[in-house]
Amino acid sequence: MPTRSDVLRELKLAPEWRLRRSANAASAAAAPPAPSPRDAVPGAADPAPRPRDGPAPADDGARLARIAALGWDAFAADVEACTACGLCRTRNRSVPGVGDVRAQWLLIGEAPGAEEDARGEPFVGQAGKLLDNMLAALGMNRRENVYIANVLKCRPPGNRTPEPIEVDACRPYLERQIALIRPALILALGKSSASLLLGTDASIASLRGRVHRFGDVPLVVTYHPAYLLRSLHEKAKAWEDLLLARRTLGAHSSDAGTPPGE
Ligand code: SF4
């Protein structure tokens, strides 16, 4: 039977990230501007548009009040029925989120890609495998003490960058998730997530490496895993960000590690 390492090597995600006690390797050269990260996510062709009801007004007060009162029992169904922006017409499945609803760690990406749209779960393509690998290096997994969500719950066609009107329409769902989970730490994966949560258009390079706050919740910014798949030299920085996040939670701060290939 193949080992986990065999599988990751086959997926070209090896060598695995491992914790070690020695000092961390130096970071790589300065970062170029990060393109839309999900462009790197392979998957099926865009789904054909499906006829649906037209979008409802994004600023509908009754809608906002309903979402603000949602519990987990109704959350996914409410997202699946949402027509508040035009993405409802092209999605196959909505992607509300996955994980431990009592998690300390809340990871927030940009939007579903093709595989996520087909399966209804965030980060299930190669970027998802890398994310799982990163979590495993910290002794974590996506089902325990971790919740993963996206800014947008439906896939933009062709993995294009989300439009501001779509982000605004979907924002109440993310805000409700944060309120329900009450995480101890938020890890923003990529620029769209960081921009929404921090209200800035600053680059990832300028935002990472320090602790921000979303309300009273500490927030750390790092690169989107899909971007890391094609920018291997940035993995060292992403690893530093994960260690910063863990230190922020006060766990095992003496450990240092190394990213794949270092
Ligand atoms: Fe609704 Fe968000 Fe999907 Fe737009 S992206 S249809 S606001 S759930």
Side-chain angles (χ1 to χ4, degrees), residues 15-18 24-26 232 234-237 239 257-262:
E16 296 177 56
W17 291 27
R18 296 184 186 280
N24 192 19
L232 299 180
E234 303 288 30
K235 284 184 176 178
K237 294 179 181 176
W239 181 239
T258 184
E262 294 290 321

Side-chain angles (χ1 to χ4, degrees), residues 185-206:
L185 180 127
I186 294 174
L187 186 64
L189 304 170
K191 188 172 190 311
S192 289
S193 176
S195 296
L196 171 70
L197 294 165
L198 297 176
T200 175
D201 199 35
S203 68
I204 291 290
S206 67

